[in-house]
Amino acid sequence: MAKGKESVFDIKLFKRLLLYIKPYRWVFIVSIIAVIGLAVFGAIRPKVLQLAIDENINERLLEGFIKYIIIYIVLLVFEVISNLVFIYFASYLGQSVVRDIRVKLFKHILNFKMKYYDNSSVGILITRAVTDMERIADIFGQGLFMIFSDILKMFVVGGVMVAMNWRLSIIVFSTLPLIVFATKIFQKFMKKAFEEVRTEVSNLNSFVQERVTGMKILQLFAREEVEFDNFKKINERHKKGWLKTVWYNSIFFPVAEVLSSITLGVVIWIGGLNTVLDQTASLGDLTAFIMMIPMIFRPLNQIANKFNTLQMGMVAADRVFKVLDTESSIEDTGIQKASHFNGSIEFKNVHFSYVKEEEVLKGISFKVEAGQTIAIVGSTGAGKSTIINLLNRFYDIQQGEILVDNTNIKDFELQTLRQQIAVVLQDVFLFADTILNNITLRNPDILEAQVQEAAKQIGIDEFIESLPNGYHYNVKERGVMLSSGQRQLISFLRAYVINPSILILDEATSSVDSHSEQLIQNATDKITKGRTSIVIAHRLATVKKADRIIVMDKGMIVEQGTHSSLLKKKNGYYRNLYEVQFMKEEEQSLVD
């Protein structure tokens, strides 16, 4: 395509969309047959009426008149049946295609790297998976087949017109180029308008989704008025986008209607003169043409309207396919199944950066023996959580190796690798579902009895049983019905119940009550026992119990050792950290 020249209709995109019809060929064929029936039966009806007028009404003959009435009624019935079949099967096809694309899209989204989500808006992805999909369905239900039906009807009706009276047909056809020209211009402007509308819809969805999710922060910092003003600005742009489409419609359709009315008036005038003066047209011809002119012009107007629907669907399809075409998945070329790990972990000269040329990890190396518990401490931004992300292959390293049981983690099948590593994050996410489903994540292999037994083992069964409906208590969206400590306990049980080979804890107990903290500490002791564990430590108790402590600063390991050995280093990084952070905690525990 030449630079600066914009295509009104993307044929390549449309062909790609049609590939999804292949599994539903029979539905497509039935829809096409119904469309043909609509065009043919509708076009023949005026001809039957013309014959009835010229052969019976004009001649005042009853013989044969009933026959034409019956034929007319039969044609009308077949047209209604064709319309019914068309509406159902076209909609069925559209919804089936959209279901398949949506499944493919969601599966694709599930495999994206975390980096993709770091740079993408959740609201926009929701728009792609929900709203845009409905616009694609409209391509088949209201766009593609309706356009084909209208075009076919115009050609059939045009053929009938020429066969009946070519002189009157010329009058009708002479105004069609004006309508076609206006339609082409209309389509070009409407495409731009709909692209703007879709952009503003995505922006609006994204804005609302983020603000509703973060409503607590907005109210805590009294930002309601500011965000309300921002919303009004985005909503105003959304309104202006839609008003452009309304403006183009308000120009096109009145122009098309005026041209249709002028054509009808000229046909009645010329046809009437021909009927009275030189009898080159009959009363039946004139009546049939009066019926058929709307059949020519109305479909042409509808084509423009349906093309609007088609354009919106095509814009939506383009956006969805851009997500599908995004290559942002972790390379899963491993062939080894990680059925069980002994649990040894080794980082060898690992370099990593989220943003190019801004290293987060600067060549770190350490080894964890099977069954060991290591604690990682350091200031914010030191790179502690990055180690968790890399071990799970949420991101791939730029240099070095990460080994589990002396095997590079890239050699394992990604899914089986992650199944052997359980992670309890600092920010616990719970779905709007029951406690049981949040623990098992609807894994049918994990029974309720197993969950109950696991809860007893780590000492949190009483807390769960105290809730209404116990394990079947619905925690609502993001677990808002539970305290932060209770959510943390659920996340511990979620990790424990799958019996992982390696456990990673981003321990966060600073904001919980003393009772929940004790339960969490007991749970930590239980689930780390006998398995390799990496703990990003926020509490002294966990740090002191670790077999080894890794101290990080600015993406590098600055110290390693046990709690007691690191305290012996004068002016050591860990000793300074202990004196600033952990000593106060220890003194407080002695007071308590």
Side-chain angles (χ1 to χ4, degrees):
M1 186 183 297
K3 188 176 180 180
K5 186 176 180 180
E6 186 178 8
S7 175
V8 174
F9 189 79
D10 192 335
I11 298 297
K12 186 177 179 181
L13 176 64
F14 188 65
K15 286 181 178 178
R16 182 177 180 181
L17 192 60
L18 290 180
L19 292 176
Y20 289 90
I21 293 178
K22 283 187 176 181
Y24 310 100
R25 290 187 185 91
W26 67 273
V27 181
F28 180 78
I29 292 170
V30 171
S31 300
I32 291 294
I33 292 171
V35 165
I36 294 172
L38 273 174
V40 173
F41 297 137
I44 294 175
R45 282 192 295 110
K47 177 62 180 176
V48 173
L49 185 61
Q50 178 256 327
L51 292 173
I53 291 172
D54 288 343
E55 295 180 9
N56 296 97
I57 296 177
N58 268 354
E59 302 299 327
R60 300 179 184 275
L61 292 176
L62 183 60
E63 185 180 354
F65 183 66
I66 300 300
K67 175 187 72 175
Y68 287 126
I69 296 300
I70 292 173
I71 292 173
Y72 190 92
I73 292 172
V74 170
L75 288 171
L76 189 60
V77 169
F78 277 121
E79 188 177 357
V80 170
I81 293 173
S82 297
N83 197 29
L84 187 151
V85 171
F86 160 70
I87 292 172
Y88 177 79
F89 280 90
S91 298
Y92 178 87
L93 178 64
Q95 291 300 324
S96 298
V97 167
V98 162
R99 177 197 60 194
D100 294 347
I101 297 176
R102 185 182 278 128
V103 167
K104 185 176 180 180
L105 177 68
F106 191 72
K107 184 178 181 181
H108 192 63
I109 289 174
L110 285 174
N111 293 313
F112 276 155
K113 297 178 183 178
M114 288 298 108
K115 187 174 182 179
Y116 180 87
Y117 295 104
D118 294 340
N119 301 321
S120 300
S121 165
V122 174
I124 288 176
L125 285 176
I126 291 173
T127 301
R128 299 293 173 267
V130 182
T131 310
D132 283 342
M133 287 299 176
E134 293 307 316
R135 300 290 77 78
I136 294 174
D138 290 341
I139 291 177
F140 301 96
Q142 301 176 31
L144 175 65
F145 290 113
M146 287 301 294
I147 290 174
F148 178 68
S149 173
D150 290 341
I151 292 174
L152 184 61
K153 182 178 287 187
M154 287 171 59
F155 275 103
V156 174
V157 170
V160 173
M161 280 183 169
V162 172
M164 288 176 58
N165 192 312
W166 64 269
R167 292 181 181 85
L168 294 181
S169 299
I170 290 174
I171 298 172
V172 176
F173 297 156
S174 62
T175 55
L176 288 181
L178 295 174
I179 297 290
V180 172
F181 178 72
T183 301
K184 189 173 182 180
I185 295 175
F186 175 68
Q187 291 167 354
K188 184 177 181 180
F189 281 98
M190 285 301 288
K191 182 183 181 185
K192 291 180 180 179
F194 281 131
E195 285 176 345
E196 184 177 335
V197 166
R198 298 310 307 152
T199 298
E200 294 306 330
V201 167
S202 296
N203 292 338
L204 191 61
N205 285 347
S206 178
F207 183 89
V208 172
Q209 188 271 335
E210 289 179 352
R211 270 59 186 180
V212 170
T213 303
M215 187 59 68
K216 188 174 183 179
I217 298 297
L218 296 185
Q219 293 184 357
L220 280 172
F221 289 90
R223 302 295 293 174
E224 295 96 331
E225 288 297 324
V226 174
E227 294 302 332
F228 181 61
D229 289 339
N230 291 334
F231 174 79
K232 287 194 292 185
K233 291 175 184 176
I234 294 175
N235 198 39
E236 180 66 21
R237 292 201 303 269
H238 178 262
K239 183 197 76 172
K240 287 180 179 178
W242 273 111
L243 284 179
K244 280 187 181 180
T245 67
V246 174
W247 171 246
Y248 296 144
N249 278 307
S250 66
I251 294 174
F252 173 75
F253 288 105
V255 169
E257 193 64 34
V258 167
L259 288 173
S260 175
S261 299
I262 291 173
T263 303
L264 182 60
V266 173
V267 166
I268 293 173
W269 176 42
I270 301 297
L273 291 176
N274 291 342
T275 301
V276 174
L277 299 178
D278 54 17
Q279 296 184 344
T280 54
S282 67
L283 184 60
D285 289 341
L286 191 58
T287 304
F289 265 76
I290 291 172
M291 283 185 67
M292 287 188 290
I293 285 173
M295 291 183 180
I296 287 278
F297 282 89
R298 190 176 297 118
L300 196 55
N301 295 347
Q302 288 178 347
I303 286 174
N305 197 25
K306 299 307 175 186
F307 199 88
N308 293 348
T309 302
L310 185 61
Q311 288 285 39
M312 286 191 71
M314 292 296 287
V315 170
D318 182 53
R319 294 176 184 274
V320 169
F321 286 141
K322 280 180 180 176
V323 178
L324 284 172
D325 291 339
T326 300
E327 294 295 334
S328 185
S329 58
I330 292 291
E331 187 177 334
D332 188 9
T333 56
I335 57 174
Q336 293 191 43
K337 288 185 179 295
S339 56
H340 180 74
F341 290 142
N342 291 324
S344 67
I345 301 169
E346 185 173 6
F347 276 57
K348 287 185 175 181
N349 192 33
V350 172
H351 290 259
F352 174 75
S353 59
Y354 293 103
V355 180
K356 194 174 181 180
E357 298 181 356
E358 293 182 18
E359 276 197 329
V360 177
L361 297 183
K362 303 171 182 178
I364 68 168
S365 298
F366 66 88
K367 188 169 183 179
V368 185
E369 300 296 338
Q372 273 192 334
T373 295
I374 67 164
I376 302 177
V377 299
S379 59
T380 301
K384 304 186 298 294
S385 296
T386 300
I387 290 175
I388 296 175
N389 292 333
L390 297 182
L391 189 58
N392 279 280
R393 289 199 69 199
F394 290 142
Y395 304 84
D396 273 335
I397 60 178
Q398 281 84 42
Q399 186 180 331
E401 281 187 302
I402 301 175
L403 309 176
V404 174
D405 288 353
N406 298 316
T407 302
N408 193 309
I409 59 173
K410 292 183 179 180
D411 295 334
F412 293 112
E413 291 180 1
L414 185 60
Q415 188 173 13
T416 62
L417 170 70
R418 290 175 177 171
Q419 285 173 345
Q420 292 302 314
I421 303 173
V423 182
V424 178
L425 294 172
Q426 181 175 351
D427 183 19
V428 179
F429 185 92
L430 297 181
F431 296 94
D433 207 333
T434 64
I435 287 179
L436 179 64
N437 288 336
N438 268 290
I439 294 168
T440 65
L441 297 178
R442 295 186 177 272
N443 184 342
D445 296 329
I446 303 175
L447 304 178
E448 183 173 352
Q450 292 176 264
V451 174
Q452 292 174 344
E453 179 59 30
K456 289 178 183 177
Q457 290 177 11
I458 64 174
I460 65 171
D461 56 312
E462 290 185 9
F463 139 64
I464 297 175
E465 293 289 359
S466 67
L467 297 170
N469 299 321
Y471 289 86
H472 297 279
Y473 177 66
N474 193 310
V475 300
K476 305 301 181 183
E477 188 174 357
R478 300 182 68 87
V480 295
M481 302 304 292
L482 302 177
S483 69
S484 58
Q486 290 172 329
R487 291 196 295 270
Q488 195 77 33
L489 290 169
I490 296 301
S491 70
F492 271 83
L493 185 54
R494 178 194 285 168
Y496 183 64
V497 79
I498 65 172
N499 191 28
S501 302
I502 296 172
L503 183 69
I504 300 174
L505 302 178
D506 189 353
E507 188 190 30
T509 58
S510 58
S511 61
V512 302
D513 59 83
S514 57
H515 177 67
S516 294
E517 182 179 345
Q518 185 59 49
L519 288 175
I520 290 172
Q521 191 59 56
N522 293 339
T524 301
D525 294 341
K526 180 67 179 178
I527 67 177
T528 57
K529 188 176 181 180
R531 59 167 55 90
T532 305
S533 303
I534 298 176
V535 182
I536 295 179
H538 298 268
R539 288 289 182 178
L540 178 62
T542 305
V543 176
K544 291 173 69 175
K545 291 179 182 179
D547 297 308
R548 184 155 48 94
I549 300 168
I550 294 176
V551 186
M552 296 189 66
D553 182 42
K554 298 178 181 178
M556 295 183 291
I557 296 176
V558 292
E559 291 177 348
Q560 292 191 59
T562 63
H563 172 69
S564 58
S565 66
L566 290 174
L567 282 182
K568 293 176 182 177
K569 293 183 178 182
K570 290 184 178 181
N571 297 320
Y573 192 98
Y574 178 77
R575 179 167 177 166
N576 292 334
L577 185 67
Y578 170 79
E579 291 173 350
V580 171
Q581 178 180 340
F582 294 143
M583 188 177 288
K584 291 181 181 179
E585 181 185 333
E586 191 169 37
E587 290 173 353
Q588 183 62 43
S589 65
L590 291 174
V591 172
D592 295 341

